């Protein structure tokens, strides 16, 4: 009997496939760094029963119409703005994501980026590498304190709550804004709900942890940056589309806000001539929020578990449903 076919859009460790090899025929794009070309993905999907994709793949209505036979698309990410979930739901195709398993790892990176930006860590490292350190001086590369400051978290989901817990260790005042109140987080962590404008006005650190939707696209725009303190630091570890990069660049260059730490960008990847890379007050990372060996392996395994469940006639563990 022919095994169901699963197409994987990026090269992953083959040992992660071993528990499923007796049930499925795995086919895989052989590159780990380069995304699968769309034409090849379309061709491979025609024969597949399920697809394990990355956030780099655009799974739009045209792709779904061509491949309405697919039973599941497992996205190796929490966010799913690369997939037209509504269209997939209409066609009876399951879409899954990978929540929970990356929460703590992404929160670690978020706080690491906050600290690196506030204390000018990468700038200080480059200072030595460029052989510019000649003497100690009292205000050499002086940065911003983190302890006892106010952090404003926009998006109090799992990762937002985990970041808030880390902030308590620095004795920070924690504000948050979310589409709905999170009373449990308020009780457990001591976070305070405020309107978006109040958060911008009062926070020393503004953290974007919202998913990219029609409502959150360019949420952090010119007006938002103008509302922030001149001493404020903006951190984005959600999706690049939640910020207007041109407005952010102008705010950083003019001193409207103090600094920014970014793990995401509007169009990824960015090149070395990107304007934000020219600014000393910006720390840029290549979208590595969940990038630890253990977490990335767990994300892949969750994708495979979801695919296995659906192809065995069961409900997946972490379905995405759009009402």
């Amino acid at each position: 009997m022919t095994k169901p076919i699963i197409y994987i859009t990026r090269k992953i460790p083959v040992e992660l496939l071993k528990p499923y090899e007796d049930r499925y025929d795995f086919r895989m794009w052989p590159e780990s760094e380069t995304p699968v070309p769309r034409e090849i993905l379309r061709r491979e999907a025609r024969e597949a029963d399920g697809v394990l994709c990355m956030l780099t793949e655009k799974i739009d209505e045209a792709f779904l119409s061509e491949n309405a036979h697919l039973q599941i698309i497992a996205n190796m990410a929490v966010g799913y703005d690369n997939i037209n979930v509504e269209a997939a739901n209409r066609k009876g195709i399951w879409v899954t994501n990978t929540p929970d398993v990356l929460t703590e790892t992404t929160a670690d990176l978020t706080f690491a980026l906050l600290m690196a930006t506030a204390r000018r860590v990468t700038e200080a490292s480059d200072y030595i590498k460029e052989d510019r350190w000649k003497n100690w001086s009292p205000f050499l590369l002086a940065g911003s304190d983190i302890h006892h400051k106010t952090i404003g978290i926009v998006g109090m989901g799992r990762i937002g709550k985990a970041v808030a817990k880390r902030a308590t260790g620095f004795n920070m005042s924690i504000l948050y804004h979310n589409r709905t109140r999170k009373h449990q987080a308020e009780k457990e962590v001591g976070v305070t709900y405020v309107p978006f404008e109040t958060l911008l006005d009062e926070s020393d650190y503004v953290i974007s942890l919202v998913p990219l939707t029609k409502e959150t696209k360019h949420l952090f725009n010119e007006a938002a940056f103008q509302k922030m303190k001149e001493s404020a630091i903006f951190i984005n570890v959600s999706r690049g589309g939640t910020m207007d990069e041109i407005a952010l660049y102008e705010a950083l260059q003019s001193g409207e806000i103090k600094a920014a730490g970014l793990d995401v960008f509007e169009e990824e990847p960015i090149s070395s001539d990107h304007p934000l890379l020219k600014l000393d007050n910006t720390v840029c990372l290549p979208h590595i929020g969940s990038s630890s060996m253990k977490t990335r392996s767990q994300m892949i395994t969750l994708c495979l578990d979801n695919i296995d469940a659906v192809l065995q006639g069961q409900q997946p563990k972490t379905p995405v449903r759009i009402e």
Side-chain angles (χ1 to χ4, degrees), residues 7 14 33 44 51-52 61 82 132 134 136 145 153 167 185 208 251 264 276 288 293 302 307 322:
Y7 185 68
V14 293
E33 300 294 331
E44 293 286 350
V51 171
L52 194 167
E61 187 152 16
N82 57 311
R132 296 165 61 195
K134 305 302 181 184
W136 181 92
D145 281 328
I153 301 172
S208 175
V264 291
L276 287 166
I288 57 170
M293 293 298 293
L302 179 54
I307 291 171
I322 301 296

Side-chain angles (χ1 to χ4, degrees), residues 205-226:
Y205 297 91
V206 176
I207 318 296
S208 175
L209 290 171
V210 292
L212 179 59
T213 65
K214 292 178 181 178
E215 292 74 27
T216 63
K217 183 173 176 59
H218 285 188
L219 177 65
F220 296 95
N221 53 22
E222 182 181 2
F225 295 126
Q226 287 175 347

